[in-house]
Amino acid sequence: MKGAFVAVLRYAGVLTLATLGATGCGGGDPEGGDARVEVFSWWSSPSESRALQALLDVHRRDHPDVKVINAAAAAANASERRLEERMVEGLPPDMFQSYGGARMMSWVRYNGQEGENKLEAIDDVVASSGWLSSAPASVVESVSHDGRLYAVPVNIHRTNCLFYNKKIFAENGLRPPRTLVELHAVNEALAAKNVVPLAVAARDPSVPASVMWEHIFIMSAGATYYDDLFKGRLESPDTPKVRAALSAGLKAMKHMNANAEELRWYDAVELVGRGEAAMVMDGDWAKAEFQARGYALGEDFGMVTVGDDAFVYVVDTFVLPRGAVHRNAALELLATMGSVEGQDALNPLKGSIPSRTDTDISLYDSLSQRAMKDASDPRTRFVPSRHLSVPGPFFDPIDEAFWEFVKDRNIDRMISAMEAHYYIIQDYHAAAR
């Protein structure tokens, strides 16, 4: 069994082993060594790694005797597949990262509504950190099931962001686009100057799919229709608005870099930073990646949001699987993740805003402060990302189908793929009501 654990851990890709912290926590090594906790996540880029390390450094100060193993996979989808293998084999990490909402609930209602619960409720940890009384109701809902809390949300990311190279836009006399009409006009203007307008990374098909759904679809059909589509409220995804948005996606992606399939999301960020492409559409984690790579906000790159007053959000959480070997050490780390100090260490380096509303706003840059203001503004359309609304089994086939659609441009085939899987969303939300 121990050999199998090592093999699976190697497969997951252990990037760092940091001696971090915990005193008197119980949950120590069952063989009598120091206490330890394995954290399984997909945070592996420079910005993600340094943000997580800052959070772990907070934990280390109060828990100097725990070894924290950061087992990070290079992409969210790959991480989830590797995690599934470990959970099925009965070798769960001590804690792991998950989006809130449907993705996390797939573990709470494993193999269906009446299936086995793979996670422990952590109400006491949440209460002890003071997080529950200082979090938006929608975030609390995203980690709750039957009145119990199953995760600690560490942030709120805004997904409908567009980043641009300041020098390219200044040299060409352009303003960053916020609407679909503006996007198409900027793309055409840059292409006419032999500038690559749009950096896209397609090594992970979920990335170009996010360009489509969290950006172009929002600009085309609006945030309310986006929410209706991904909460299964439409009778069918074969509608004029969905077709129009897909056509707009094709038109936009005609202007992307030729090497998209070779790149991960952070490589697309680097193309814009170096001036080899003008724009990248991604969540606000891209801001942190620009900064981690030495590019200055307001000088080298800028950011706007797309889709009028929409705030499309996703929540990163950490959960405790049943059967965690170092359960007590994991619980203490989860408490740190929910604390004001922990969230104020992580989020300024992650590009996100904290999941709690009582943190120190002075620690955050102007874009994050604006995001905090927007998130609390009743006029803002605060809409959950499809990552929170849609069960995992819908994602892989649809994201892969979208990338094929970009290449073969067959809109009927893309619509057929969506229709064939749309029942997954409808059944999930029907069961949750």
Side-chain angles (χ1 to χ4, degrees), residues 124-132 152 334-336 338-340 356:
D124 290 345
V125 169
V126 172
S128 69
S129 68
W131 170 83
L132 191 59
V152 172
L334 285 168
T336 298
S339 69
V340 169
R356 12 186 345 146

Side-chain angles (χ1 to χ4, degrees), residues 136-252:
S138 57
V139 175
V140 176
E141 182 183 355
S142 75
V143 298
S144 303
H145 179 66
D146 285 346
R148 305 296 304 277
L149 295 157
Y150 284 91
V152 172
V154 296
N155 62 17
I156 300 172
H157 272 299
R158 192 173 196 167
T159 67
N160 56 316
C161 304
L162 182 147
F163 298 86
Y164 62 99
N165 182 286
K166 296 277 289 188
K167 182 179 179 182
I168 290 176
F169 271 72
E171 288 177 346
N172 290 280
L174 297 171
R175 294 171 60 87
R178 300 192 63 185
T179 69
L180 200 54
V181 170
E182 291 171 351
L183 176 66
H184 292 325
V186 166
N187 282 345
E188 295 291 346
L190 290 169
K193 298 285 186 68
N194 294 316
V195 176
V196 176
L198 189 60
V200 174
R203 188 169 172 180
D204 175 356
S206 70
V207 179
S210 291
V211 173
M212 175 64 230
W213 303 115
E214 274 72 51
H215 298 84
I216 294 170
F217 191 91
I218 294 289
M219 288 189 278
S220 177
T224 300
Y225 204 78
Y226 170 95
D227 200 38
D228 288 342
L229 173 64
F230 289 114
K231 286 187 178 172
R233 298 187 186 121
L234 304 184
E235 183 176 338
S236 162
D238 189 3
T239 71
K241 284 190 175 184
V242 174
R243 285 181 173 267
L246 288 169
S247 295
L250 284 182
K251 184 175 180 179

Side-chain angles (χ1 to χ4, degrees), residues 41-356:
S41 80
W42 57 77
W43 286 348
S44 60
S45 78
S47 61
E48 292 167 331
S49 297
R50 75 171 185 167
L52 180 57
Q53 187 61 51
L55 173 61
L56 296 180
D57 285 345
V58 170
H59 191 67
R60 178 182 185 177
R61 287 198 295 271
D62 294 328
H63 305 83
D65 300 323
V66 168
K67 295 179 180 178
V68 177
I69 301 172
N70 174 19
N77 285 359
S79 175
E80 288 183 332
R81 287 191 292 271
R82 294 168 186 179
L83 177 63
E84 178 86 23
E85 293 175 359
R86 292 187 59 176
M87 296 288 279
V88 168
E89 292 182 24
L91 298 168
D94 296 313
M95 54 193 296
F96 63 84
Q97 180 186 5
S98 177
Y99 292 128
R103 308 300 283 271
M104 189 205 77
M105 290 305 164
S106 68
W107 295 109
V108 177
R109 304 194 326 233
Y110 190 67
N111 287 331
Q113 187 179 19
E114 304 303 326
E116 179 184 1
N117 187 341
K118 293 285 189 180
L119 303 183
E120 280 198 46
I122 52 173
D123 305 78
D124 290 345
V125 169
V126 172
S128 69
S129 68
W131 170 83
L132 191 59
S133 61
S134 59
S138 57
V139 175
V140 176
E141 182 183 355
S142 75
V143 298
S144 303
H145 179 66
D146 285 346
R148 305 296 304 277
L149 295 157
Y150 284 91
V152 172
V154 296
N155 62 17
I156 300 172
H157 272 299
R158 192 173 196 167
T159 67
N160 56 316
C161 304
L162 182 147
F163 298 86
Y164 62 99
N165 182 286
K166 296 277 289 188
K167 182 179 179 182
I168 290 176
F169 271 72
E171 288 177 346
N172 290 280
L174 297 171
R175 294 171 60 87
R178 300 192 63 185
T179 69
L180 200 54
V181 170
E182 291 171 351
L183 176 66
H184 292 325
V186 166
N187 282 345
E188 295 291 346
L190 290 169
K193 298 285 186 68
N194 294 316
V195 176
V196 176
L198 189 60
V200 174
R203 188 169 172 180
D204 175 356
S206 70
V207 179
S210 291
V211 173
M212 175 64 230
W213 303 115
E214 274 72 51
H215 298 84
I216 294 170
F217 191 91
I218 294 289
M219 288 189 278
S220 177
T224 300
Y225 204 78
Y226 170 95
D227 200 38
D228 288 342
L229 173 64
F230 289 114
K231 286 187 178 172
R233 298 187 186 121
L234 304 184
E235 183 176 338
S236 162
D238 189 3
T239 71
K241 284 190 175 184
V242 174
R243 285 181 173 267
L246 288 169
S247 295
L250 284 182
K251 184 175 180 179
M253 291 196 178
K254 180 177 69 174
H255 297 290
M256 68 182 174
N257 48 300
N259 64 338
E261 290 186 314
E262 301 172 13
L263 307 183
R264 296 198 184 278
W265 71 268
Y266 42 80
D267 300 318
V269 168
E270 181 63 27
L271 285 185
V272 175
R274 292 200 305 257
E276 295 178 19
M279 298 176 287
V280 61
M281 290 190 281
D282 211 339
D284 55 13
W285 50 85
K287 177 192 70 174
E289 193 67 19
F290 277 111
Q291 293 168 327
R293 292 168 182 263
Y295 299 110
L297 173 63
E299 297 179 18
D300 302 312
F301 74 96
M303 188 203 89
V304 295
T305 58
V306 300
D308 297 326
D309 56 355
F311 190 125
V312 185
Y313 70 96
V314 69
V315 178
D316 286 307
T317 77
F318 284 85
V319 302
L320 178 69
R322 292 184 180 276
V325 175
H326 306 104
R327 177 180 178 276
N328 289 345
L331 286 169
E332 291 200 341
L333 181 51
L334 285 168
T336 298
M337 289 179 166
S339 69
V340 169
E341 190 177 10
Q343 297 211 357
D344 276 345
L346 173 85
N347 285 292
L349 299 176
K350 189 68 174 63
S352 47
I353 62 176
S355 64
R356 12 186 345 146

Side-chain angles (χ1 to χ4, degrees), residues 393-404:
F394 182 83
F395 271 87
D396 285 352
I398 299 307
D399 288 357
E400 290 168 7
F402 176 73
W403 185 241
E404 289 304 312

